[in-house]
Each structure stands twice: as structure tokens, then as C-alpha cells.
Amino acid sequence: MNNSGSRFVWYELTCADMESAKAFYSAVLGWRAADVSMPDAPYALFIAKDTPVAGLLGLPQDALEAGAEPQWIGYVAVGDVDGAANRVEQLGGTVHIPPADVLGVSRFSIVADPQRGTIALVNDREGNQQQAPQGPGPVGWHELHSASIEDSFDFYGPLLGWQKAGTPADPKDPYQEFSAGGEIMGGMRERPGQSSFSLWLYYFNVAGVAAAAKRVEAAGGQILDGPVTVQGGAQAVHCRDPQGAIFALIDRRARMSIGCYSPGGSPDLPGSGPPE
């Protein structure tokens, strides 16, 4: 199975209160929301510059009662969802939602790595996957906070064809970039302490981190850490929305004269993934 070009192509926020989420992300990122719900399936699109960049899905009551928490999930394109889902289990991961069709247009599956980091696998049968527009709004970086970078690569490398890119700059705080099809998409860093689970963090592009951080707090969110200097010298903040979903904001225009990940402190990032 050749997934050397497996890239993130979609992002989805699951939460309990969709209207509250629409208001929050509109205030912080300038998104507008378009309702595309179907009977018994509430759903909305977040739109930036007239292009859908993410989806919004309401958590059903039974999921909330089972302990499901609001979270952002990234969708990675693969050629064979069923084959990839089988490979997940062979590599020690978990398939939370088995492969299923969506309106006859795509096929998807929700899976977790052995450290419980959750992603979705998706196949677009009509080839409509599109690049997000440039500028404020879309995701500009993907970051896995992992209990073990090497263990994470042992999973994502064989599954998706991801490769290590570059060399970690600081052996005391290792940060390893990864690529797909020759394109660097993000990085992996080890979580401090005795944490045994991993967490995917998605960085949304903004113009001005300081101003964006103020919008987060004004809209009822929380700044967990930052500003921090991330790979390449860009400025970022780690955030929690009012319902508890973790995300980050990044401004690539403001470059510092430093080329490595230099956190101002370790954010208190909670666990991820559906309840076991």
C-alpha cells in the first residue's frame, strides 16, 4: 500500500454546542459558518475566503454521556481506507469507527495510534480534495505531542508513508519534522513527564498572534501557552476553546532569529481520542 502522498486534507471539530462554536471561531478567525445539516445529522462548514476549510459536528447525547470530549480531528487522504484501517490494527493502533461511506462521495474511518492520538482516514472518490486558501484562517501546521517520537514514527511511517525531515535541533527537547510526498507538513515533539498518550494539535494561520490571543480570551477561550517560537521562527499560541477543544494559532510573518522549537512553557494539554 503506497501512501507516500498521504496529507491532511480536512479538519473537523466535534462539540456539544454548535452555535457556541460558530460564534467563537467566527470571532477568533473570521470564519463564517454554513449549515449543511441533514435529517438527524447536524453539520456545518467553516468557510474562509469563500472556501470551506473545516467542518463542525455536534456530539450526540450518548457520546457525551460516554465521556466524549470536544476536539479537533484531522483527516488524512489515503488510497484505500479499508486497507489502511486494517494496517492500523496490525501496527498496534485502534479503529474507533470502522470504514464507512459518506453519501457515496467518500469513505472514512476514525482511528487512533498506540498512544491514543486520533486522526481520520479518508478517500475522496471524486477527487475533490482541495488545498486550503492561503492567508488567515486555514491550518498552517500539524503537530503531534507524543509520549515517544520514535514509537510514533514506527506507526505513522508504515501506515501513511510519512518520513522524517531534517534533524532535531535540541536533543534536550527533540522536535522532529515529518513530510509526505516530499512536502513538510508538521512536526512531532515529546510530551514532558510521564504522559503515555499523544495529542494532535492543529495550528490555524492568523495575522498577528497577540491580537488573535486577545480575541480568544474575549470570546471566552483560554490561552494555555505562548506566545512561543515554533519551527522556523514563527510565533504561536496554544489555546482551549470555551467547550474544551485544544487548538493553536500561528503567525508565520513574525519571524524570530531562532530556528528551533522553543516553548515558553509546557501547556497542560489533556488526553485525546474517543473513550475506550
Side-chain angles (χ1 to χ4, degrees), residues 13 25 39 44 58 61 73 77 96 99 120 128-129 134 137 156 160 187 189 200 205 208 228 246 259 272:
L13 173 64
Y25 287 97
Q61 186 61 37
I73 297 178
H96 288 298
N128 291 325
Q129 293 163 355
Q134 298 299 311
Y156 290 103
L160 300 170
R189 73 179 298 254
W200 278 103
N205 291 329
V228 297
I246 303 299
S272 64

Side-chain angles (χ1 to χ4, degrees), residues 1 21 24 39 46 80 82 101 144 157 173 179 181 209 212 267 274:
M1 182 167 54
F24 175 80
F46 283 126
D80 177 6
D82 294 75
D101 290 327
L144 179 66
D173 185 21
S179 64
V209 160

Side-chain angles (χ1 to χ4, degrees), residues 140-141 143 175 177 203-210 225-238 248-264:
W141 192 248
E143 192 170 82
Y175 190 88
E177 291 184 339
Y203 287 70
F204 296 99
N205 291 329
V206 295
V209 160
D225 189 30
V228 297
T229 302
V230 296
Q231 200 79 355
Q235 294 292 287
V237 289
H238 300 148
L249 305 173
I250 185 169
D251 181 1
R252 297 186 177 279
R253 307 172 312 157
R255 301 278 178 171
M256 302 293 288
S257 58
I258 182 170
C260 63
Y261 185 91
S262 179

